[in-house]
Amino acid sequence: VTVYLVGAGPGDPELLTRKAARLLSEADVVIFDRLVSSEIVQEARADAVKINVGKHPHDGSASTDQSTINSMLVHYGRTGATVVRLKGGDPFLLGRGGEEVDALVEAQVPYEVVPGLSSSLAVPALAGIPVTHRGLAAHVTIASGHEVDGNVDWVALGALEGTAVLLMAVANRAEIARRMILGGRGSSTPVAVIESGSTAREHRVVTTLDSLGTIEVHAPAVIVIGDVAARIVDPEVVLFKELAQSWGEGPS
Amino acid sequence: VTVYLVGAGPGDPELLTRKAARLLSEADVVIFDRLVSSEIVQEARADAVKINVGKHPHDGSASTDQSTINSMLVHYGRTGATVVRLKGGDPFLLGRGGEEVDALVEAQVPYEVVPGLSSSLAVPALAGIPVTHRGLAAHVTIASGHEVDGNVDWVALGALEGTAVLLMAVANRAEIARRMILGGRGSSTPVAVIESGSTAREHRVVTTLDSLGTIEVHAPAVIVIGDVAARIVDPEVVLFKELAQSWGEGPS
């Protein structure tokens, strides 16, 4: 294998898998994106080639487009170097890893996928939210909110019971909430918003589905919609005191 | 903290997080379930108390009920020992970790949740299946199939596009497939069945939704329903050759 597509997890270096940590320490070339923390990238060898292919959420540098990333993977993969493509979260859950695999397969470059902890599940867990819980949610749906008129039928998602976890949904949160309510989700459904989850800047808010569009939210954020969201531990802001009271003796 | 609820991932010891591995090596008491491989349990200290609270899928020993497990966690937690509750996959995704948290909170025993790789995502990834992929699936729903008339509306799930991943669904797979087709899922939708994923006994099959109930499947298995399932790499059995041909030039 020459190219490893590796999930870096939600941010905390201790939440890397042992396999990811080993490959990172061995790599000749590390190609990482904006959701990978610098602490993790620094674990690569000092003499490894390190390439940042995504803009950081807190500065203005431009992002590299997917086809360029694919070409880079093929280019370095063909040199026979050990290449680690380090992706925030998991490569195959909203990570576009499948497209990178397609490029490598077409170019006949050997590859291996190393799963990582997806922020969609790990960030709620670290905030005390079980995405499934007896009596509250029997299943969870994970979606990207980066397009509101793309391939997700938000009305149908609103008709489904259970938990919905949205990534990349900050900009479209008002319209997504509106469509989910149209589909049948209660407007007072609890919603947890976890900004910069698993980092020192983490910020937790709980609100309701009909208010999601009216509150201030800073990307990156994980948005959890459903009764389990009320189980969030130590939120810094609770909107709608009457709801907070009715949630009452929750475990937080 | 005295009780850590720790995800052990899908089976491969290298897919433990570094944090899980560290806590396991430090624990005084390790309480583990049937989905945790013995290789992983052996990483605990030789003098640690090790308690198996679930039956192994390949032998007949009885499972411990959830309320007994909760009581054990409270009991050992109150001694002040470092307790690791090691759960297969992730504690908070179909893992009943929320119930264990409730018991610990009620007993005022300090706890911490350490997320792990859920088999629902890691097992498909290791088999080459991205649960989301541009043009094929924009979202993924993860559900337990252990009850067919429980809290999952299979007809509504059938109406939702995207990928469905089912755990604990071997016994009910025929009826679940029937209801999802009733909801609108195409009967020829590709389905991947991965038995004993990430272990030496792993076995991969691809079939269609209307045939899922007719093929032999051995638990534990992860069942992936949706167009992405056809991307499985190196399946040992492909049912319905004409479909296999039409899936044709997939990356496998």
Side-chain angles (χ1 to χ4, degrees), chain B residues 77-89:
Chain B
R78 281 181 170 152
T79 66
T82 296
V83 181
V84 166
R85 167 68 174 118
L86 200 59
K87 298 170 83 75

Side-chain angles (χ1 to χ4, degrees), chain B residues 79-240:
Chain B
T79 66
T82 296
V83 181
V84 166
R85 167 68 174 118
L86 200 59
K87 298 170 83 75
D90 179 76
F92 269 7
L93 178 55
L94 304 180
R96 302 188 72 170
E99 295 168 55
E100 297 176 5
V101 165
D102 288 348
L104 293 165
V105 168
E106 195 187 7
Q108 297 183 289
V109 173
Y111 71 93
E112 185 179 328
V113 177
V114 181
L117 286 182
S118 172
S119 301
S120 62
L121 297 166
V123 165
L126 294 167
I129 300 173
V131 288
T132 64
H133 188 71
R134 203 175 175 182
L136 294 183
H139 51 76
V140 58
T141 301
I142 302 157
S144 165
H146 78 287
E147 285 184 322
V148 76
D149 290 312
N151 294 307
V152 182
D153 181 340
W154 301 106
V155 176
L157 185 58
L160 193 72
E161 302 271 322
T163 306
V165 179
L166 309 183
L167 300 184
M168 296 169 271
V170 170
N172 295 321
R173 65 193 188 281
E175 180 61 13
I176 288 170
R178 194 187 69 78
R179 294 188 192 185
M180 287 183 69
I181 291 169
L182 198 64
R185 275 283 176 158
S187 55
S188 62
T189 300
V191 176
V193 178
I194 306 158
E195 298 172 352
S196 298
S198 107
T199 74
R201 296 183 307 280
E202 178 164 336
H203 184 233
R204 302 175 186 170
V205 180
V206 287
T207 184
T208 55
L209 189 54
D210 58 358
S211 299
L212 177 60
T214 68
I215 66 169
E216 199 179 351
V217 180
H218 302 280
V222 177
I223 298 176
V224 183
I225 300 169
D227 291 335
V228 295
R231 290 179 58 101
I232 195 166
V233 170
D234 298 332
E236 292 179 66
V237 181
V238 179
L239 296 162
F240 308 98

Side-chain angles (χ1 to χ4, degrees), chain A residues 3-229:
Chain A
V3 178
Y4 295 89
L5 304 183
V6 177
D12 176 350
E14 252 207 312
L15 293 178
L16 244 69
T17 63
R18 292 192 282 200
K19 187 164 187 173
R22 174 175 63 78
L23 293 169
L24 180 58
S25 72
E26 292 170 3
D28 301 306
V29 179
V30 180
I31 299 174
F32 60 99
D33 69 24
R34 70 183 175 92
L35 293 170
V36 179
S37 69
S38 56
E39 263 177 292
I40 291 171
V41 175
Q42 282 160 16
E43 294 191 31
R45 282 176 12 223
D47 64 334
V49 175
K50 300 176 195 76
I51 304 170
N52 182 345
V53 290
K55 71 176 174 197
H56 193 275
H58 297 287
D59 71 26
S61 55
S63 181
T64 309
D65 67 28
Q66 188 63 51
S67 66
T68 304
I69 296 171
N70 295 350
S71 300
M72 288 172 60
L73 293 175
V74 168
H75 168 79
Y76 285 105
R78 281 183 170 152
T79 66
T82 296
V83 180
V84 166
R85 167 67 175 120
L86 201 59
K87 298 169 83 74
D90 179 76
F92 269 7
L93 177 54
L94 305 180
R96 303 189 70 171
E99 296 167 53
E100 297 177 3
V101 165
D102 288 348
L104 293 164
V105 168
E106 196 187 5
Q108 297 183 291
V109 174
Y111 71 94
E112 185 179 328
V113 176
V114 181
L117 286 183
S118 173
S119 301
S120 63
L121 299 166
V123 166
L126 294 168
I129 301 173
V131 288
T132 63
H133 187 73
R134 203 175 175 183
L136 294 183
H139 52 76
V140 58
T141 301
I142 301 157
S144 165
H146 79 289
E147 284 184 324
V148 76
D149 290 311
N151 295 307
V152 181
D153 182 340
W154 301 106
V155 175
L157 184 59
L160 192 72
E161 301 272 321
T163 306
V165 179
L166 309 183
L167 301 184
M168 296 171 272
V170 171
N172 295 320
R173 66 193 188 280
E175 179 61 15
I176 289 170
R178 194 186 69 77
R179 294 188 192 186
M180 287 182 69
I181 291 170
L182 196 64
R185 275 285 175 156
S187 55
S188 61
T189 301
V191 176
V193 178
I194 307 156
E195 298 171 352
S196 297
S198 108
T199 74
R201 296 183 307 279
E202 179 165 335
H203 185 232
R204 302 175 186 170
V205 180
V206 288
T207 184
T208 55
L209 189 55
D210 59 358
S211 298
L212 176 60
T214 67
I215 66 169
E216 199 179 349
V217 180
H218 300 280
V222 176
I223 297 176
V224 182
I225 299 169
D227 291 335
V228 295

